[in-house]
Amino acid sequence: MPKVFLTRLCAVLLAAVALVACEQEQQASSGPAARPPAQVGFTTVKAESVDLTARLPGRVVALRMAEVRPQVDGIVTKRLFEEGSAVEAGQPLYQIDDAAYEAQVKMAEAELARASATLNSTRTKLRRYESLVKTNAVSRQAYDDVVAEEQENRASVAAAQASVDAARISLGYTQVLAPIAGQIGRSSITEGALVTAGQAQALATITQLDPINVDFTQSSASLLRLRQMFRTGERTLGSKAELPVTLILDAVDLEYGQQGTMQFSEVTVDETTGSVRLRAVFPNPDRELLPGMFVHGLVNQGVVDRGFLVPQASVSFTPMGDPYVYVIGEDDTVTQAKVHIVDAAGKDWLIDQGLNDGQRVVVDGLQRIRPGAKVTPVEVQKPVAAADSKAQS
């Protein structure tokens, strides 16, 4: 029995070995299984007009600022405004003691009356001499003396009138008026203080806050490149009559609710920074913008009439730094397309050369493809926010 059992066991083992060897031979003869085409995501590009903006640093500047100073000497008897309130142009702010200036007006008016009386007397005498000189009742010399006296008295009346006007002006200056409309700050003096004409210390400061200016700085090199692109037609100003500006408040990193317009740019370059100053004006009805605040502005830099927006992740670069994208052909074969990047637009690149309308650009699965490879394309919906964003330098 042991021999028979051992003989059967050996036979079973030999049969198993033969079966395994046969299966391995069949697998070796059939070769590796063919891989299916890689699945990639794509988006269909279409040329569109894209507004270009640059994010520039800026600072809020008051549209107008006036320091209130007295124009006559005297003691302040009243303060006629509330600190921090809004004032109108011409509104009385301070009252200076006017007793001395009223007296000066009366003295000037009296001198004017005296000079006028003297002139009237001389004119009466002149009319009489005019008839007498014709009959030689008075000498020609006496007549000429009266004519000169009348002219001198007429000049005295004019001088007296000027003195009256000056005295009245000084009297008017005893009431200190607001030179501009705006918001007035704190008062630096109180009732009873002595003020002098043209003193260095301002009585108060009025700031006009609505509308308000914002000054931005842009490098002169960027400005020169921008002007060159306008000249060559690479960029245009578009159809907008005014260049809009969007403001970002640095303190809260939020967009300001009112849109501004560009006013002008300086014609000189700052020697220390190499930058040019641009000024925009913004509505400020709620006094949200205050002078001195740091902000950033999205400043219009022209329009690219025909550009393509593609996700930044879909653009690759050669070792030499040249950008390219993968494009899926009609037969689902991948090819490499060299492109030219104009600017960034949020998470997209703005491309103006190298693509055509309707082309399918690979945006997902780049690591699984190579030029000439077959792929299984799956369309990826582009986020609306990325498609609608503006290019920023």
Side-chain angles (χ1 to χ4, degrees), residues 109-130:
E109 290 174 344
E111 180 62 27
L112 175 61
R114 186 194 62 79
S116 299
T118 303
L119 176 62
N120 291 334
S121 175
T122 304
R123 284 177 174 172
T124 301
K125 184 177 180 180
L126 178 60
R127 286 194 294 270
R128 187 167 60 250
Y129 272 47
E130 284 176 349

Side-chain angles (χ1 to χ4, degrees), residues 11-27:
V12 172
L13 292 174
L14 290 174
V17 171
L19 180 61
V20 171
C22 182
E23 290 179 354
Q24 290 179 347
E25 184 177 354
Q26 290 178 355
Q27 290 178 358

Side-chain angles (χ1 to χ4, degrees), residues 93 156 194 262 270:
L93 302 177
S156 297
L194 174 64
M262 187 61 62
D270 190 308

Side-chain angles (χ1 to χ4, degrees), residues 64-66 81-82 84-91 93 178-185 205-211 287:
R64 292 179 182 174
M65 182 176 290
F81 67 93
E82 292 184 8
S85 64
V87 297
E88 298 295 330
Q91 177 179 330
L93 302 177
I180 63 172
Q183 187 168 348
I184 194 166
T205 301
I206 301 174
T207 306
Q208 187 169 338
L209 299 175
D210 184 26
R287 309 296 193 268

